[in-house]
Amino acid sequence: MPKSFTLFALLTALLTIPVHAAEFSSTAPLRVSYLASNPSQARLDPKTGAINGPAAELARELARRLGVSVTITPLANPVAVIDSVKSGAVDLGFVAYDAARAREVDFSQAYLLAWNSYLVPKNSPLLNVAEADLPGVRIGVGQGDAGHLYLQRKLRHAELKPNPPGSMEIALKRLADGEIDVYAASRPRLLEAAEKNPGVRVLPDNFYGVEQAIIVNKGETAKLAVVNKLIDETRTTGLIQSAIERAGLKGVDVAPAGNKRP
């Protein structure tokens, strides 16, 4: 047999080995974490313990492709999700992209855009997000949330007043007590709050489209390629859009193609 043919056959065989073989265990469960307070990622049903939403559906689809089971763990804040990946406690984490976070972990392309807006008292004079960036306006936001990181860079006049991440109860109390004038968060969370609290309303426009993405440890390029392929294919097949609809999410969109990180 010619040596060139033998080399070609060897290369062909190597290329047909599943790309995930060296990156994901073929027997152990796929371990995934997500931000518990972010409904645009997933929700935990307190009665059944079931976790549903776009992040959960993507995790289950990847596990199905790998031929393994999956464990999905809700965590309290973005730092906890990032730390769970960095420590190796999980294989993948679901968290919003931010350049500061990208210094700690590697990000996939975005699979979903979660629009961020402002919650204001019903009688607030503010009509749109631009009007909130004025001297004397106090903007509450979850400490370390993607919206917080964004507003730190973008606000010119308003004052940021962070509170514990994920605590809508604290945010609503601060609004009611007059400690803040507006509260910044993802539109799904704000719409849920407004439905339950008639004394507040959500402004009609958005200040930021938060890129929901999947993180891996620094340097895990092959694993990241598997994740990006998953997002590409589930965007095309409509799985992500269907997951949004099944979760009843408002204020989120499937992220467009062509947004891969370097």
Side-chain angles (χ1 to χ4, degrees):
M1 183 180 295
K3 289 185 179 180
S4 59
F5 181 81
T6 303
L7 180 59
F8 175 77
L10 176 60
L11 289 173
T12 301
L14 288 173
L15 289 172
T16 59
I17 296 174
V19 70
H20 60 74
E23 301 304 318
F24 295 95
S25 170
S26 60
T27 56
L30 176 69
R31 303 163 303 161
V32 172
S33 63
Y34 77 96
L35 181 57
S37 61
N38 188 345
S40 64
Q41 290 183 6
R43 288 188 180 93
L44 171 66
D45 188 318
K47 294 182 179 179
T48 66
I51 298 175
N52 298 297
E57 293 205 31
L58 282 171
R60 292 187 181 110
E61 174 60 16
L62 179 57
R64 184 191 68 78
R65 295 180 180 204
L66 298 173
V68 298
S69 59
V70 61
T71 60
I72 305 173
T73 304
L75 295 176
N77 53 62
V79 173
V81 174
I82 291 169
D83 286 347
S84 70
V85 171
K86 290 172 64 178
S87 69
V90 300
D91 303 296
L92 306 171
F94 285 81
V95 72
Y97 173 80
D98 186 83
R101 295 172 180 172
R103 291 194 287 268
E104 299 186 66
V105 289
D106 285 341
F107 278 80
S108 74
Q109 63 177 303
Y111 65 89
L112 182 149
L113 295 179
W115 299 104
N116 271 221
S117 187
Y118 293 137
L119 188 72
V120 299
K122 206 81 168 182
N123 61 355
S124 170
L126 298 177
L127 300 177
N128 57 62
V129 297
E131 292 180 357
D133 191 10
L134 295 173
V137 176
R138 299 157 301 170
I139 299 177
V141 65
Q143 178 75 44
D145 284 355
H148 181 204
L149 299 176
Y150 177 85
L151 290 171
Q152 280 182 316
R153 297 191 295 266
K154 298 296 183 179
L155 287 179
R156 295 292 177 265
H157 305 290
E159 178 187 4
L160 270 180
K161 298 181 73 67
N163 60 256
S167 182
M168 185 58 71
E169 293 78 12
I170 291 176
L172 289 167
K173 185 177 187 306
R174 295 177 78 196
L175 278 172
D177 292 346
E179 293 181 24
I180 57 175
D181 303 295
V182 303
Y183 185 71
S186 68
R187 183 167 285 277
R189 291 188 64 216
L190 298 183
L191 290 171
E192 284 187 355
E195 287 175 2
K196 299 174 183 176
N197 298 273
V200 295
R201 60 183 171 86
V202 182
L203 295 185
D205 54 346
N206 308 295
F207 66 83
Y208 182 37
V210 178
E211 298 175 311
Q212 297 296 329
I214 302 174
I215 57 172
V216 301
N217 246 321
K218 276 290 183 184
E220 292 185 327
T221 54
K223 184 180 287 187
L224 197 61
V226 175
V227 171
N228 276 322
K229 181 180 179 183
L230 171 78
I231 295 171
D232 279 334
E233 294 179 353
T234 53
R235 180 192 293 113
T236 300
T237 63
L239 184 149
I240 300 174
Q241 180 61 46
S242 296
I244 291 170
E245 294 169 1
R246 279 189 285 272
L249 293 175
K250 300 175 182 178
V252 302
D253 291 307
V254 179
N259 64 87
K260 289 185 176 65
R261 300 291 167 195

